[in-house]
């Protein structure tokens, strides 16, 4: 029996975030696609019993769960220093840089470790992370250069950026993500209407994903709505209402928008999220830099026309399935966003084309495909 051990710690982090969701979806697909005589086990830091139960409930079919002697923070520090004895050996896949990277012999003892680098924000946008996270990330990337047998990145854009930062040779593999199985509309239209009514969704609106962190460019989008030529529809932002000392209501007010024109929504279930995105007239993803286009692919999957920035990872994921907006000249970015959104709103032929091409494009991104490629990656090492 061949066993693939997956580091699952992000699933029980205080804020699991996108990497936590990535870990869960990928591991579920790894279990479903496991070749004959192969199984999947988990590695997790010392945590309360209810955390272990949550992982096991989320991942039916998981072989077993190996717990380390150290809690999460101490484990991250220990692995940063190369103290990885508690993780055991064998075939290990880390859905992030949190991995037991140490000297090993892939031929003599069969040990192998693959890590995942989702973006290069620690170098390009360090202000988006805490100083501790920036320092830890840079140390772990250096450890990956020394000890990782493979490095997974979500896009060719990240692969190119990473190549300018550190030489990983031929160990980089591009394996993107997919759309979670839970992101689907209710089975009948009445249930959809009930959710829309409960969430107080307008009949027509624009939806975006992000925070007020400058890199996400939600402020530029809100500014676009306040321009004389801005879209005359409500804006729903899927994300928190505040970032640091900034809050969505204040930014909207400064843009000259009336109270309630911009609304933040968070904490939605997958089904609610599907309803919000699918009923929007346009989905906007204005982010200035991303490692992968996960939210965009969700919108493609749900048949919503997409407007996005020309960030390399977004262009790569979109192909011609979305309407790209140039990021250069930050002062003019809101005006270009407004023009792009208005173009989709007023050109029914364009909007319909984006729906059709986007739905087709979404089929290129599945967790099953990602998992199968991870199995092949480890088989080829």
């Amino acid at each position: 029996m061949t066993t693939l051990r997956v580091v699952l710690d992000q699933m029980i982090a205080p804020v699991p975030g996108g990497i936590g969701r990535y870990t869960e979806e990928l591991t579920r697909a790894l279990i479903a696609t496991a070749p004959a005589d192969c199984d999947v086990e988990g590695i997790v830091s010392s945590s309360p019993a209810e955390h272990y139960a949550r992982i096991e409930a989320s991942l039916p079919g998981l072989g077993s769960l190996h717990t380390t002697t150290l809690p999460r923070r101490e484990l991250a520090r220990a692995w940063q220093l190369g103290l990885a004895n508690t993780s055991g050996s064998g075939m290990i896949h880390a859905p992030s840089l949190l991995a037991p990277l140490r000297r090993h012999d892939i031929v003599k003892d069969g040990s192998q470790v693959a890590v995942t680098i989702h973006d290069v924000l620690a170098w390009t946008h360090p202000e988006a992370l805490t100083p501790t996270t920036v320092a830890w990330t840079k140390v772990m990337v250096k450890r990956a250069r020394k000890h990782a047998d493979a490095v997974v990145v979500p896009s060719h854009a990240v692969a190119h950026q990473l190549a300018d930062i550190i030489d990983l040779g031929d160990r980089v593999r591009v394996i993107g993500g997919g759309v979670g199985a839970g992101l689907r509309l209710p089975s009948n239209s009445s249930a959809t209407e009930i959710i829309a009514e409960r969430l107080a969704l307008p009949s027509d609106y624009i939806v975006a994903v992000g925070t007020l962190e400058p890199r996400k460019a939600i402020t530029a989008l809100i500014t676009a709505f306040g321009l004389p030529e801005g879209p005359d529809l409500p804006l729903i932002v899927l994300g928190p209402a505040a970032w640091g000392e900034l809050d969505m209501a204040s930014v909207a007010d400064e843009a000259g928008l009336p109270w309630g024109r911009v609304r933040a929504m968070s904490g939605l279930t997958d089904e609610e999220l599907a309803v919000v995105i699918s009923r929007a007239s346009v989905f906007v993803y204005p982010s200035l830099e991303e490692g992968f286009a996960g939210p965009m692919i969700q919108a493609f999957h749900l048949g919503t026309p997409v407007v996005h920035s020309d960030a390399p990872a977004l262009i790569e994921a979109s192909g011609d399935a979305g309407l790209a907006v140039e990021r250069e000249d930050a002062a003019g970015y809101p005006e270009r966003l407004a023009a792009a959104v208005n173009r989709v709103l007023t050109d029914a032929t364009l909007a319909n084309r984006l729906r059709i091409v986007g739905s087709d494009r979404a089929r290129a991104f599945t967790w099953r495909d990602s998992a199968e490629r991870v199995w092949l990656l480890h088989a080829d090492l």
Side-chain angles (χ1 to χ4, degrees):
M1 178 70 74
T2 299
T3 298
L4 176 65
R5 291 182 175 180
V6 183
V7 180
L8 302 175
D9 217 65
Q10 192 62 31
M11 286 179 63
I12 55 172
V15 182
I19 295 179
R21 186 59 180 267
Y22 172 94
T23 300
E24 180 178 342
E25 295 286 357
L26 177 63
T27 306
R28 187 178 293 120
L30 287 169
I31 293 169
T33 59
D37 296 322
C38 295
D39 69 346
V40 179
E41 298 179 349
I43 299 173
V44 67
S45 62
S46 178
S47 306
E50 57 266 27
H51 288 184
Y52 304 148
R54 189 194 316 160
I55 290 176
E56 290 169 343
S58 299
L59 300 173
L62 187 70
S64 61
L65 197 56
H66 299 269
T67 62
T68 69
T69 57
L70 298 174
R72 177 178 174 81
R73 184 174 62 180
E74 288 76 7
L75 181 65
R77 178 62 175 162
W79 283 357
Q80 179 183 358
L81 297 173
L83 306 175
N85 293 334
T86 58
S87 63
S89 57
M91 195 161 66
I92 296 175
H93 189 84
S96 70
L97 278 167
L98 184 63
L101 292 165
R102 64 189 187 282
R103 183 177 300 171
H104 60 279
D105 192 321
I106 193 171
V107 176
K108 288 180 64 175
D109 59 26
S111 293
Q112 55 175 249
V113 182
V115 301
T116 307
I117 299 176
H118 292 272
D119 54 55
V120 293
L121 296 181
W123 290 268
T124 61
H125 292 79
E127 71 283 355
L129 308 170
T130 66
T132 299
T133 298
V134 170
W136 183 86
T137 299
K138 291 183 176 181
V139 168
M140 292 306 289
V141 168
K142 289 179 180 178
R143 293 200 65 80
R145 179 183 59 186
K146 292 181 180 179
H147 304 300
D149 299 293
V151 176
V152 174
V153 295
S155 62
H156 290 280
V158 172
H160 292 318
Q161 290 176 307
L162 198 56
D164 292 334
I165 294 168
I166 194 165
D167 182 8
L168 296 170
D170 61 357
R171 290 175 290 167
V172 177
R173 304 288 187 276
V174 177
I175 302 177
V179 176
L183 190 75
R184 57 179 180 267
L185 293 169
S187 57
N188 59 79
S189 58
S190 61
T192 300
E193 292 301 325
I194 290 172
I195 291 175
E197 184 176 347
R198 183 173 70 241
L199 296 176
L201 296 180
S203 56
D204 296 294
Y205 58 92
I206 310 297
V207 70
V209 171
T211 71
L212 291 173
E213 174 197 335
R215 174 179 62 91
K216 295 291 187 177
I218 292 297
T219 298
L221 180 60
I222 294 174
T223 301
F225 274 65
L227 296 174
E229 66 274 20
D232 190 22
L233 286 177
L235 172 64
I236 293 177
V237 179
L238 299 173
W243 182 78
E245 297 182 355
L246 284 176
D247 64 84
M248 211 75 71
S250 297
V251 174
D253 181 64
E254 290 177 4
L257 296 171
W259 177 264
R261 178 76 181 283
V262 177
R263 176 183 171 196
M265 298 182 73
S266 59
L268 300 178
T269 66
D270 284 351
E271 193 173 55
E272 290 170 337
L273 181 63
V275 170
V276 173
I277 294 176
S278 68
R279 292 171 70 96
S281 300
V282 184
F283 177 94
V284 187
Y285 202 36
S287 183
L288 303 178
E289 183 176 330
E290 294 291 335
F292 187 62
M296 252 173 56
I297 293 167
Q298 292 177 335
F300 289 155
H301 171 71
L302 293 165
T304 304
V306 173
V307 169
H308 59 88
S309 79
D310 65 348
L314 306 190
I315 292 290
E316 179 181 334
S318 173
D320 62 351
L323 186 60
V325 181
E326 291 184 5
R327 299 162 296 160
E328 297 302 322
D329 173 29
Y333 192 38
E335 184 177 346
R336 292 192 297 277
L337 284 171
V341 172
N342 280 331
R343 184 180 168 196
V344 177
L345 290 174
T346 58
D347 188 336
T349 300
L350 172 63
N352 190 52
R353 184 188 74 80
L354 292 177
R355 289 189 186 95
I356 294 171
V357 178
S359 295
D360 184 63
R361 182 62 174 161
R363 298 187 186 98
F365 300 92
T366 69
W367 286 111
R368 183 177 186 85
D369 177 66
S370 301
E372 289 175 345
R373 292 168 70 186
V374 168
W375 278 112
L376 285 173
L377 179 160
H378 284 280
D380 289 343
L381 290 177

